Amino acid sequence: MTSAVTIPRHGGTGTRTAVAARGRQVVKAYGSGETRVVALDHVDVDIARGQFTAIMGPSGSGKSTLMHCLAGLDSVTGGQIFLDETEITGLKDKKLTQLRRDRIGFIFQAFNLLPTLNALENITLPMDIAGRKADPAWLNRVVETVGLGERLRHRPNQLSGGQQQRVAVARALAARPEIIFGDEPTGNLDSRAGAEVLGFLRQSVDELGQTIVMVTHDPVAASYADRVLYLADGRIVDEMYRPTAEAVLDRMKDFDARGRTS
Ligand SMILES: Nc1ncnc2c1ncn2[C@@H]1O[C@H](COP(=O)(O)OP(=O)(O)O)[C@@H](O)[C@H]1O
Ligand SMILES: [Mg+2]
């Protein structure tokens, strides 16, 4: 786990804190007056470097909002977000765009691959756009870890859903971001392809020292993580280390039961 701290990353100073990202008293409200919805209610959260964190909770509990705020995709109403030592809340648009491009990786439910580019071109596209050269040794390692070596010249429509999402994961990893965020990254995949992608995410944490935050509502997906954070009504209400699918499922039933009786 500690290997992540010593891996030199793009734009890095060489030393990194053990916390990759943190939120302090984060509030996110939508609308105003009678239609005001508080999606995040004074959330304090630390995301450990080199760990795989899952964010769980019922629909509408604020999972996506928390991820978007941590990733600088959405502004906050109150509180602070830090990526390593950089406070991202309050950054001007241009700086924020740069920070997202250079330091954060994203994997979404829709794979968002360009259909006219082959797998390899899709993987290196963000770096090509940023005018950065991929480190060939790193790129090889990522491609090997994803197990796409034979398919690099294939276009997305020549790949299965699982393979396409592995390309999207490789694309996120290739630029060596400090942290990768995924919102239901296996939500569009059948269970076999989902397991393939989750296994690969797990491997990228164990072998490449990647930090990953994944929003999911699936206990099996959450069981691949090192730690699960549970959200309810915009607050972190519980957490679990070394989760198993059974333990996560039990915990969720517990929340459901409490929700119904209160
Ligand atoms: N753009 C928006 N405008 C208004 N309300 C929103 C918006 N996005 C999310 N919400 C509300 O914020 C709450 C949390 O949403 P979300 O973070 O998407 O939950 P989850 O991902 O856990 O399902 C919900 O009540 C949702 O309706
Ligand atoms: Mg969501």
Side-chain angles (χ1 to χ4, degrees):
M1 289 286 162
T2 50
S3 65
V5 180
T6 55
I7 291 173
R9 290 178 185 277
H10 176 82
T13 55
T15 53
R16 295 236 176 261
T17 55
V19 179
R22 60 201 152 101
R24 288 293 175 271
Q25 294 292 299
V26 176
V27 175
K28 177 67 180 180
Y30 294 104
S32 60
E34 292 201 345
T35 60
R36 184 174 151 100
V37 174
V38 178
L40 296 176
D41 188 3
H42 299 89
V43 172
D44 285 318
V45 64
D46 282 3
I47 303 298
R49 190 176 303 285
Q51 267 197 9
F52 189 173
T53 303
I55 300 177
M56 295 200 80
S59 178
S61 58
K63 302 183 293 297
S64 295
T65 305
L66 178 59
M67 194 207 94
H68 289 162
C69 288
L70 285 174
L73 287 170
D74 209 346
S75 63
V76 300
T77 309
Q80 294 170 295
I81 309 275
F82 298 86
L83 179 68
D84 197 41
E85 297 293 284
T86 312
E87 185 184 346
I88 69 170
T89 28
L91 281 185
K92 297 256 191 307
D93 271 356
K94 197 174 160 198
K95 287 264 181 227
L96 193 56
T97 305
Q98 245 169 32
L99 174 139
R100 276 199 308 262
R101 190 191 68 195
D102 294 340
R103 297 175 60 180
I104 299 180
F106 295 97
I107 311 162
F108 294 101
Q109 193 168 4
F111 319 130
N112 293 335
L113 302 179
L114 286 191
T116 56
L117 301 182
N118 69 32
L120 182 61
E121 291 163 343
N122 266 288
I123 291 169
T124 58
L125 180 67
M127 280 178 292
D128 294 341
I129 290 173
R132 271 160 60 191
K133 193 95 190 67
D135 169 0
W138 179 258
L139 192 60
N140 266 337
R141 201 165 157 202
V142 167
V143 165
E144 242 170 59
T145 315
V146 203
L148 282 167
E150 313 281 279
R151 306 277 168 157
L152 287 178
R153 306 287 163 196
H154 288 57
R155 282 208 279 272
N157 67 1
Q158 300 169 309
L159 299 170
S160 70
Q163 289 168 337
Q164 289 183 55
Q165 192 62 315
R166 282 192 286 155
V167 172
V169 174
R171 178 180 57 188
L173 281 167
R176 298 182 140 188
E178 287 172 43
I179 186 163
I180 289 179
F181 290 98
D183 196 349
E184 306 270 6
T186 54
N188 277 340
L189 302 176
D190 62 37
S191 58
R192 191 166 147 267
E196 208 172 80
V197 168
L198 288 161
F200 173 58
L201 289 175
R202 180 68 254 170
Q203 215 178 328
S204 71
V205 172
D206 292 338
E207 293 175 17
L208 307 177
Q210 185 61 56
T211 305
I212 298 179
V213 177
M214 172 182 72
V215 168
T216 183
H217 63 266
D218 174 8
V220 174
S223 72
Y224 284 79
D226 296 299
R227 175 194 186 202
V228 180
L229 298 173
Y230 294 93
L231 277 181
D233 295 330
R235 294 179 194 197
I236 293 176
V237 292
D238 205 357
E239 66 178 325
M240 185 188 283
Y241 283 89
R242 303 179 145 272
T244 62
E246 294 75 29
V248 173
L249 194 60
D250 278 351
R251 186 69 57 91
M252 284 164 69
K253 282 182 191 153
D254 206 34
F255 288 135
D256 286 349
R258 262 189 269 165
R260 274 197 295 277
T261 53
S262 63

PDB file of all heavy atoms in Angstrom, residues 30 37 39 57-66 215, ligand 1:
ATOM      1  N   TYR A  30     -28.879  22.200  -3.755  1.00  0.00           N
ATOM      2  CA  TYR A  30     -29.447  22.543  -5.064  1.00  0.00           C
ATOM      3  C   TYR A  30     -30.715  23.349  -4.846  1.00  0.00           C
ATOM      4  O   TYR A  30     -31.476  23.084  -3.920  1.00  0.00           O
ATOM      5  CB  TYR A  30     -29.794  21.280  -5.863  1.00  0.00           C
ATOM      6  CG  TYR A  30     -28.602  20.449  -6.272  1.00  0.00           C
ATOM      7  CD1 TYR A  30     -28.304  19.259  -5.609  1.00  0.00           C
ATOM      8  CD2 TYR A  30     -27.795  20.831  -7.337  1.00  0.00           C
ATOM      9  CE1 TYR A  30     -27.225  18.473  -5.993  1.00  0.00           C
ATOM     10  CE2 TYR A  30     -26.720  20.056  -7.732  1.00  0.00           C
ATOM     11  CZ  TYR A  30     -26.444  18.884  -7.054  1.00  0.00           C
ATOM     12  OH  TYR A  30     -25.374  18.112  -7.441  1.00  0.00           O
ATOM     13  N   VAL A  37     -32.694  21.467  -1.989  1.00  0.00           N
ATOM     14  CA  VAL A  37     -32.339  20.101  -1.611  1.00  0.00           C
ATOM     15  C   VAL A  37     -30.901  20.123  -1.109  1.00  0.00           C
ATOM     16  O   VAL A  37     -30.014  20.616  -1.798  1.00  0.00           O
ATOM     17  CB  VAL A  37     -32.421  19.151  -2.828  1.00  0.00           C
ATOM     18  CG1 VAL A  37     -31.908  17.760  -2.465  1.00  0.00           C
ATOM     19  CG2 VAL A  37     -33.831  19.074  -3.368  1.00  0.00           C
ATOM     20  N   ALA A  39     -27.941  18.080  -0.729  1.00  0.00           N
ATOM     21  CA  ALA A  39     -27.419  16.785  -1.200  1.00  0.00           C
ATOM     22  C   ALA A  39     -26.245  16.324  -0.356  1.00  0.00           C
ATOM     23  O   ALA A  39     -26.030  15.128  -0.176  1.00  0.00           O
ATOM     24  CB  ALA A  39     -27.013  16.897  -2.672  1.00  0.00           C
ATOM     25  N   GLY A  57     -24.721   3.718  -0.703  1.00  0.00           N
ATOM     26  CA  GLY A  57     -25.853   4.353  -0.051  1.00  0.00           C
ATOM     27  C   GLY A  57     -27.047   4.276  -0.969  1.00  0.00           C
ATOM     28  O   GLY A  57     -26.899   4.042  -2.173  1.00  0.00           O
ATOM     29  N   PRO A  58     -28.250   4.496  -0.422  1.00  0.00           N
ATOM     30  CA  PRO A  58     -29.447   4.423  -1.242  1.00  0.00           C
ATOM     31  C   PRO A  58     -29.436   5.478  -2.349  1.00  0.00           C
ATOM     32  O   PRO A  58     -28.684   6.450  -2.274  1.00  0.00           O
ATOM     33  CB  PRO A  58     -30.591   4.698  -0.266  1.00  0.00           C
ATOM     34  CG  PRO A  58     -30.005   4.766   1.084  1.00  0.00           C
ATOM     35  CD  PRO A  58     -28.526   4.827   0.974  1.00  0.00           C
ATOM     36  N   SER A  59     -30.285   5.260  -3.334  1.00  0.00           N
ATOM     37  CA  SER A  59     -30.451   6.226  -4.414  1.00  0.00           C
ATOM     38  C   SER A  59     -30.847   7.579  -3.821  1.00  0.00           C
ATOM     39  O   SER A  59     -31.687   7.650  -2.924  1.00  0.00           O
ATOM     40  CB  SER A  59     -31.545   5.708  -5.353  1.00  0.00           C
ATOM     41  OG  SER A  59     -31.759   6.643  -6.363  1.00  0.00           O
ATOM     42  N   GLY A  60     -30.189   8.636  -4.269  1.00  0.00           N
ATOM     43  CA  GLY A  60     -30.503   9.971  -3.774  1.00  0.00           C
ATOM     44  C   GLY A  60     -29.775  10.348  -2.499  1.00  0.00           C
ATOM     45  O   GLY A  60     -29.975  11.442  -1.958  1.00  0.00           O
ATOM     46  N   SER A  61     -28.877   9.461  -2.001  1.00  0.00           N
ATOM     47  CA  SER A  61     -28.193   9.748  -0.725  1.00  0.00           C
ATOM     48  C   SER A  61     -27.043  10.733  -0.887  1.00  0.00           C
ATOM     49  O   SER A  61     -26.492  11.215   0.105  1.00  0.00           O
ATOM     50  CB  SER A  61     -27.696   8.443  -0.090  1.00  0.00           C
ATOM     51  OG  SER A  61     -26.834   7.755  -0.962  1.00  0.00           O
ATOM     52  N   GLY A  62     -26.639  11.009  -2.148  1.00  0.00           N
ATOM     53  CA  GLY A  62     -25.595  12.007  -2.369  1.00  0.00           C
ATOM     54  C   GLY A  62     -24.275  11.438  -2.875  1.00  0.00           C
ATOM     55  O   GLY A  62     -23.267  12.147  -2.930  1.00  0.00           O
ATOM     56  N   LYS A  63     -24.286  10.161  -3.296  1.00  0.00           N
ATOM     57  CA  LYS A  63     -23.048   9.503  -3.731  1.00  0.00           C
ATOM     58  C   LYS A  63     -22.398  10.239  -4.910  1.00  0.00           C
ATOM     59  O   LYS A  63     -21.218  10.584  -4.870  1.00  0.00           O
ATOM     60  CB  LYS A  63     -23.326   8.040  -4.142  1.00  0.00           C
ATOM     61  CG  LYS A  63     -23.948   7.195  -3.062  1.00  0.00           C
ATOM     62  CD  LYS A  63     -24.129   5.757  -3.517  1.00  0.00           C
ATOM     63  CE  LYS A  63     -25.144   5.555  -4.639  1.00  0.00           C
ATOM     64  NZ  LYS A  63     -26.518   5.938  -4.254  1.00  0.00           N
ATOM     65  N   SER A  64     -23.192  10.446  -5.966  1.00  0.00           N
ATOM     66  CA  SER A  64     -22.633  11.096  -7.159  1.00  0.00           C
ATOM     67  C   SER A  64     -22.209  12.525  -6.850  1.00  0.00           C
ATOM     68  O   SER A  64     -21.163  12.988  -7.316  1.00  0.00           O
ATOM     69  CB  SER A  64     -23.656  11.105  -8.299  1.00  0.00           C
ATOM     70  OG  SER A  64     -23.930   9.786  -8.714  1.00  0.00           O
ATOM     71  N   THR A  65     -23.021  13.210  -6.046  1.00  0.00           N
ATOM     72  CA  THR A  65     -22.690  14.594  -5.694  1.00  0.00           C
ATOM     73  C   THR A  65     -21.358  14.649  -4.951  1.00  0.00           C
ATOM     74  O   THR A  65     -20.508  15.494  -5.248  1.00  0.00           O
ATOM     75  CB  THR A  65     -23.807  15.208  -4.830  1.00  0.00           C
ATOM     76  OG1 THR A  65     -25.046  15.080  -5.518  1.00  0.00           O
ATOM     77  CG2 THR A  65     -23.544  16.673  -4.552  1.00  0.00           C
ATOM     78  N   LEU A  66     -21.148  13.732  -4.005  1.00  0.00           N
ATOM     79  CA  LEU A  66     -19.894  13.717  -3.252  1.00  0.00           C
ATOM     80  C   LEU A  66     -18.722  13.474  -4.199  1.00  0.00           C
ATOM     81  O   LEU A  66     -17.704  14.158  -4.142  1.00  0.00           O
ATOM     82  CB  LEU A  66     -19.940  12.644  -2.154  1.00  0.00           C
ATOM     83  CG  LEU A  66     -18.660  12.508  -1.324  1.00  0.00           C
ATOM     84  CD1 LEU A  66     -18.302  13.815  -0.620  1.00  0.00           C
ATOM     85  CD2 LEU A  66     -18.781  11.369  -0.302  1.00  0.00           C
ATOM     86  N   VAL A 215     -18.125   5.025  -6.874  1.00  0.00           N
ATOM     87  CA  VAL A 215     -19.517   5.042  -6.421  1.00  0.00           C
ATOM     88  C   VAL A 215     -20.199   3.788  -6.944  1.00  0.00           C
ATOM     89  O   VAL A 215     -20.053   3.441  -8.115  1.00  0.00           O
ATOM     90  CB  VAL A 215     -20.248   6.280  -6.976  1.00  0.00           C
ATOM     91  CG1 VAL A 215     -21.755   6.159  -6.754  1.00  0.00           C
ATOM     92  CG2 VAL A 215     -19.722   7.549  -6.325  1.00  0.00           C
TER      93      VAL A 215
HETATM   94  N1  LIG B   1     -28.664  19.016 -10.583  1.00  0.00           N
HETATM   95  C1  LIG B   1     -29.471  18.790  -9.540  1.00  0.00           C
HETATM   96  N2  LIG B   1     -30.500  19.617  -9.267  1.00  0.00           N
HETATM   97  C2  LIG B   1     -31.306  19.422  -8.220  1.00  0.00           C
HETATM   98  N3  LIG B   1     -31.194  18.406  -7.361  1.00  0.00           N
HETATM   99  C3  LIG B   1     -30.208  17.519  -7.576  1.00  0.00           C
HETATM  100  C4  LIG B   1     -29.283  17.657  -8.676  1.00  0.00           C
HETATM  101  N4  LIG B   1     -28.399  16.632  -8.620  1.00  0.00           N
HETATM  102  C5  LIG B   1     -28.752  15.887  -7.554  1.00  0.00           C
HETATM  103  N5  LIG B   1     -29.812  16.413  -6.915  1.00  0.00           N
HETATM  104  C6  LIG B   1     -30.440  15.889  -5.702  1.00  0.00           C
HETATM  105  O1  LIG B   1     -29.444  15.702  -4.712  1.00  0.00           O
HETATM  106  C7  LIG B   1     -29.653  14.492  -3.994  1.00  0.00           C
HETATM  107  C8  LIG B   1     -28.433  13.594  -4.146  1.00  0.00           C
HETATM  108  O2  LIG B   1     -28.319  13.186  -5.508  1.00  0.00           O
HETATM  109  P1  LIG B   1     -27.181  12.222  -6.022  1.00  0.00           P
HETATM  110  O3  LIG B   1     -25.865  12.701  -5.525  1.00  0.00           O
HETATM  111  O4  LIG B   1     -27.333  12.093  -7.486  1.00  0.00           O
HETATM  112  O5  LIG B   1     -27.550  10.841  -5.289  1.00  0.00           O
HETATM  113  P2  LIG B   1     -27.046   9.354  -5.594  1.00  0.00           P
HETATM  114  O6  LIG B   1     -25.885   9.415  -6.529  1.00  0.00           O
HETATM  115  O7  LIG B   1     -26.688   8.796  -4.240  1.00  0.00           O
HETATM  116  O8  LIG B   1     -28.215   8.631  -6.157  1.00  0.00           O
HETATM  117  C9  LIG B   1     -30.939  13.894  -4.545  1.00  0.00           C
HETATM  118  O9  LIG B   1     -32.006  14.306  -3.715  1.00  0.00           O
HETATM  119  C10 LIG B   1     -31.039  14.511  -5.912  1.00  0.00           C
HETATM  120  O10 LIG B   1     -32.373  14.585  -6.325  1.00  0.00           O
END
